[in-house]
Amino acid sequence: MPIALIDCNNFYASCEQLFKPALLGRPVVVLSNNDGCVVARSVEARALGIPMGAPWHTLKELARRHAVVALSSNYALYGDLSDRVMRILSHFSPHQEVYSIDECFLDLTGARPNPTDCGVLIYREVRRLTGIIVGVGLGATKTLAKFANHCAKKRPEFAGVCPLFEMPSREVDRLLAWAPVDEVWGVGRRLAARLEKQGIGTALDLKRAAPARIRSGFSVTLERTVRELNGEACLGLMAGPGQRKQILSSRSFGVLIGALAPLEEAVAAYATRAGEKLRRQGLLAGSVGVFLRTNPFRTDLPQHQGSLTLPLPPTDDTRLLTRAALRGLHSLYRPGFAYQKAGVCLTDLVPADRQQGDLFADRAQEARSRALMAAMDAINRAMGSGTVKLLAEGNDPRRAMRARHRSPRYTTRLDELPVARTVPLAVEQETLPS
């Protein structure tokens, strides 16, 4: 069964370059919320050695020397372009697993004229219809497809499409020997360091390891990886997105905040956003976690951080989630500290249609809650986020996210649509002979 893994190259940076051709060939980085850290890099920025997650303020001198372009995150643009790419890919197979915002798996069994030609067509069509360049890896298993995608992007001989599944075994082993073991899907740096101590330093070493030894010395998950590297499919495609284990809503503040009241407003706003996501996915939360922290880079200020999780009957009612979140905040808050960030995390998630019934629940109250939340969501969808909100959220401008370098939301806002201008050509009038 040939499986394809399609991954958009340097996705956030590519989205920015798509509407600003002047950025092509220049080092571009995309910054996290509040322009804090680097979350995406163009090829040119990677070549300068700019690491992922690096605080932007530590890179100002390097950026000045090399004319690095820094842009604020534009998630509306990235999400819309991702949807367009995924819709195009869905036409190539009825079996699609969207793995993240910029990558998905496709089952290409029965693809015509053959899976390899289909992979080439995927590469061309996504670029033609969206302008986004992708890497296409084809393998007999998901792990091999992931590795093939890595080869498609890193080895120029494949020109963006690596048909690993149809290569001779010796050629596959040659590629596996080329890759360090931490390039295998699911093998991070810590695990790679442990494997190297066992003499497993390349992807080929891991493929040749005895599955029983890997299971006893590491985990059953890594054993499955070994089997997948040997062509034994252990991971099937998911029919749809898997159920989430948590929903997080968090943001750094525009300025440091020491008073309790604005922190209450921030936590209420985050609980509201989390509740909206919860209902959109048809889930209920059984626990609400809250965290609060100062700025770890401000060593001149006293430091404090803490977190707390509170259980509650499974619910998606924003009012109940907010009430629990504020109780947690009151337990964590300490006067005399300047806080930089807070967040709300919903856990113990269960599908709303499979909730265990409560014999003593107030059915009428539950119905009123569902109707109220449905009305709020409908109004906010139609009129814009935040049109209807809890009074506890307030409207403190200090919570506004810094996005000084955000590009326009070209594809989702009518007032920010790109404008194309034509320049009239001068027409020379031919002088006819008299």
Side-chain angles (χ1 to χ4, degrees), residues 231-420:
E232 180 184 342
C234 301
L235 305 170
L237 262 63
M238 296 172 59
Q243 182 181 319
R244 299 188 55 173
K245 294 181 171 56
Q246 65 177 26
I247 291 176
L248 176 66
S249 180
S250 171
R251 185 175 293 170
S252 298
F253 309 133
V255 298
L256 299 180
I257 296 178
L260 178 60
L263 291 173
E264 290 176 325
E265 293 182 357
V267 167
Y270 301 153
T272 297
R273 300 291 90 74
E276 290 171 350
K277 295 178 183 178
L278 192 72
R279 293 189 293 275
R280 194 157 53 238
Q281 297 175 40
L283 300 173
L284 305 175
S287 298
V288 177
V290 185
F291 70 85
L292 190 64
R293 78 172 193 203
T294 53
N295 186 345
F297 296 103
R298 290 293 302 272
T299 55
D300 57 318
L301 297 176
Q303 298 291 312
H304 173 248
Q305 63 178 359
S307 61
L308 184 66
T309 300
L310 295 89
L312 71 166
T315 184
D316 61 4
D317 190 317
T318 292
R319 298 168 299 172
L320 301 179
L321 299 173
T322 301
R323 196 175 302 159
L326 290 176
R327 285 203 309 271
L329 172 67
H330 294 158
S331 297
L332 294 174
Y333 174 74
R334 301 288 183 272
F337 293 92
Y339 291 100
Q340 181 216 19
K341 188 173 186 177
V344 172
C345 185
L346 306 182
T347 53
D348 295 331
L349 307 183
V350 295
D353 58 358
R354 280 179 259 167
Q355 177 190 10
Q356 184 172 351
D358 184 347
L359 184 63
F360 302 103
D362 185 337
R363 303 301 178 197
Q365 176 59 35
E366 288 182 347
R368 287 194 294 271
S369 170
R370 287 194 297 271
L372 176 60
M373 293 300 108
M376 287 180 61
D377 291 343
I379 293 171
N380 287 332
R381 278 196 303 270
M383 306 300 293
S385 179
T387 301
V388 178
K389 61 183 181 181
L390 300 184
L391 183 62
E393 293 184 53
N395 194 29
D396 191 335
R398 291 178 294 177
R399 292 203 320 269
M401 185 173 67
R402 288 195 302 269
R404 299 189 183 100
H405 312 291
R406 194 197 68 205
S407 55
R409 291 157 288 190
Y410 298 104
T411 63
T412 59
R413 291 286 295 264
L414 286 173
D415 57 338
E416 297 181 18
L417 286 175
V419 177

Side-chain angles (χ1 to χ4, degrees), residues 135-272:
V136 182
L138 298 102
T141 67
K142 291 176 78 172
T143 301
L144 286 171
K146 262 280 197 180
F147 178 71
N149 181 273
H150 174 71
C151 295
K153 293 196 293 186
K154 298 297 183 181
R155 297 184 67 98
E157 67 264 32
F158 293 116
V161 181
C162 176
L164 196 72
F165 81 102
E166 65 176 18
M167 292 182 183
S169 58
R170 64 180 180 278
E171 182 64 16
V172 174
D173 286 352
R174 184 182 69 82
L175 291 170
L176 290 169
W178 157 76
V181 71
D182 60 2
E183 292 295 349
V184 176
W185 188 28
V187 179
R189 291 183 181 178
R190 290 186 181 180
L191 182 54
R194 290 178 56 200
L195 287 167
E196 286 174 2
K197 291 179 180 178
Q198 302 291 325
I200 300 174
T202 68
L204 181 61
D205 294 334
L206 185 60
K207 174 188 176 181
R208 290 176 172 173
R213 171 195 167 197
I214 293 298
R215 179 169 186 161
S216 62
F218 295 90
S219 67
V220 66
T221 301
L222 190 59
E223 180 200 7
R224 291 194 192 103
T225 298
V226 172
R227 294 186 183 280
E228 287 246 328
L229 287 173
N230 283 277
E232 180 184 342
C234 301
L235 305 170
L237 262 63
M238 296 172 59
Q243 182 181 319
R244 299 188 55 173
K245 294 181 171 56
Q246 65 177 26
I247 291 176
L248 176 66
S249 180
S250 171
R251 185 175 293 170
S252 298
F253 309 133
V255 298
L256 299 180
I257 296 178
L260 178 60
L263 291 173
E264 290 176 325
E265 293 182 357
V267 167
Y270 301 153
T272 297

Side-chain angles (χ1 to χ4, degrees), residues 100-142:
S100 68
I101 191 172
D102 62 348
E103 60 184 325
C104 83
F105 290 99
L106 293 178
D107 179 355
L108 294 185
T109 301
R112 295 184 179 182
N114 57 65
T116 299
D117 288 344
C118 185
V120 173
L121 184 59
I122 286 171
Y123 178 90
R124 292 174 178 171
E125 284 297 282
V126 173
R127 185 170 187 177
R128 182 179 71 86
L129 295 172
T130 68
I132 299 295
I133 298 175
V134 299
V136 182
L138 298 102
T141 67
K142 291 176 78 172

